[in-house]
Each structure stands twice: as structure tokens, then as C-alpha cells.
Amino acid sequence: SRRGPRHHAPNTCGRLAGRARRSRSGGETTIMTILARAVPVSGTALARASFRGRLLLALSAGLLGLSVLFPLWRVSLTAPQYPEGLGMYIWAHTVAGVGPNDLQNINGLNHYIGMATIEPDEIPELRFMRPGMLAMAALGLALAAMGRRRSLIVWSGLLLLSAVVGMADFYKWEYDYGHNLDMENAPLKIPGMSYQPPLIGSKKLLNFTATSLPALGGVLAIASVVLATAAIPLSRAASPSPGRAA
């Protein structure tokens, strides 16, 4: 007595149809309502950034663009023989002394202890940093106008990644600058001594105190990264209410 194959599909379909009819007649949640809740449809509020997120993105991009108009970082040196101190500004496109002869005097001190001369034209990052930051700012403003949440998240993530890579590259430059010494031609030779300035904060180097802090442009760039990071969780638009979805 062989049993014939069982066909569950018609019964299953019948049960689903019956549930759908009962849902329509009894005022229960419909299948369309379930889909509307579970599946975000392209073009709805879920695909667009909230007004707060777009505003933060625009502010972040604006601050990033403004930051190139000011020095990003300042490194200062103080010592008894330099009571007024020496300093240099690191811009997005060059390195310059705080005072008229500061960079020249810093290079003279560097030669005395075997450090390399600071030549802005020989620093490759300074060739593309400013145009890269301006392009990133223009893109951010355009994406804020478009209002797509996914684009906002990608831009903010790229900005945060660029900031981390930039600080790591700055640290590497300082490390090479303070450790790769020309001891053969240096008038002052101190075995085992290195002269790497701090990434941020102060550090004693012989009788000098080196201080490294963000300048105005750096503060604006840091604020830009903070706003972009805050824009990610605040960019989620309010979900449509169940009544509207139905």
C-alpha cells in the first residue's frame, strides 16, 4: 500500500489566503503593513538623512574648507638663550616660521645637533594636502545638499580615516626628523640622544622645551571631524508611523 506524494503547497496557500482575508475583515495588521515595516523602500525617509545629520555634514565640510586658510599646527621651542622662543607653523601647503627668522634659526639649531634642514618644498604631503582637503570639503557640501544617508556615512568615515592617517603620517615625519641624525657632521654629538618633538604636548630636549599643539586651522579641522562623527548617528530620519505606512 504505497502512499501517494503529499502536496502541502495548496494547503499552505489556502491557509495564507484565509489569514489575509481574516486580516482584512478583522482589522488586524495586513501583509502590506508587515512589508512596509520590515523592508525599507528606496526613496522613503529611511534612505535619506535627517535634517540634523545634513546640517552637521554641511558644517563639517565648511569647517574643513576654512581650515586651510589658517596654520594647522604650531611647534614652539623655548630655552634660556631664546627667552622669546622660536616657533614654526605647519600649514596645509607649507611650513613657515612664527617670527620672521624663526625657521632659519630652527634650521641652524638642527644643523648643530645633526638634524635635517626643514625644506617645505621637499615634503611631498604638502603638495596635495590643501587641494585634497578642499576637494573633500566641496564633496561634503554637495552630499549634504543631496541628503542621502549612505553617502553621509561614507564621507564621514573617509574624513575620520583621513584624520587618523594624517596624524600617523605627522608622527612618522617627527620620528624621522628626530632620529635620523647626521652624527658625522654634527658639531654636538650625544650618543643615544634623539630629538623627536611631541605629537601633542610638551617635551624636554636638552635645554629646550618643545611644545606641539593644534593651531587655529587644526582646531577647525578637529571640529570638522567631531561634527562628521556626530552626524552619523544623528542622520537617521524618523521612521514612518504604522498608520501612514498602512
Side-chain angles (χ1 to χ4, degrees):
S1 57
R2 296 176 60 186
R3 297 181 180 180
R6 296 182 180 180
H7 299 283
H8 296 283
N11 294 333
T12 303
C13 294
R15 287 196 297 270
L16 290 176
R19 290 177 184 176
R21 286 193 297 271
R22 288 195 300 271
S23 173
R24 289 193 295 269
S25 62
E28 299 175 3
T29 304
T30 63
I31 295 176
M32 290 303 297
T33 302
I34 295 174
L35 292 175
R37 289 178 179 177
V39 181
V41 182
S42 176
T44 65
L46 293 176
R48 295 185 61 81
S50 67
F51 174 78
R52 289 185 302 174
R54 296 170 65 184
L55 178 61
L56 289 179
L57 176 61
L59 290 175
S60 173
L63 292 179
L64 182 64
L66 285 176
S67 67
V68 304
L69 302 178
F70 307 95
L72 299 175
W73 219 262
R74 174 173 177 162
V75 180
S76 303
L77 297 173
T78 57
Q81 63 268 42
Y82 293 97
E84 297 181 358
L86 300 173
M88 65 179 185
Y89 282 130
I90 301 175
W91 297 68
H93 65 290
T94 189
V95 178
V98 174
N101 299 314
D102 280 9
L103 186 59
Q104 179 181 353
N105 290 332
I106 290 173
N107 281 331
L109 293 171
N110 291 346
H111 172 73
Y112 189 71
I113 56 179
M115 297 176 71
T117 301
I118 299 175
E119 295 288 351
D121 294 338
E122 296 180 2
I123 302 176
E125 291 85 349
L126 299 179
R127 301 172 189 169
F128 59 80
M129 186 183 299
R130 182 167 61 176
M133 293 173 68
L134 290 174
M136 190 73 175
L139 178 61
L141 291 174
L143 294 179
M146 293 172 59
R148 295 295 181 184
R149 184 169 186 265
R150 178 176 296 179
S151 300
L152 181 152
I153 294 173
V154 171
W155 187 90
S156 300
L158 286 176
L159 180 63
L160 181 59
L161 178 62
S162 300
V164 172
V165 171
M167 293 303 295
D169 184 71
F170 183 36
Y171 176 85
K172 181 180 181 299
W173 179 80
E174 288 187 324
Y175 182 89
D176 294 338
Y177 180 64
H179 286 80
N180 296 334
L181 307 177
D182 183 10
M183 298 305 296
E184 294 183 2
N185 300 314
L188 178 62
K189 301 178 176 66
I190 302 178
M193 184 67 185
S194 63
Y195 304 96
Q196 179 183 357
L199 183 65
I200 186 168
S202 297
K203 182 179 180 180
K204 194 74 172 179
L205 300 172
L206 297 180
N207 62 330
F208 282 87
T209 299
T211 302
S212 175
L213 293 171
L216 178 56
V219 172
L220 294 177
I222 292 172
S224 172
V225 174
V226 171
L227 290 178
T229 304
I232 295 177
L234 295 177
S235 65
R236 184 181 296 277
S239 301
S241 63
R244 292 181 182 178

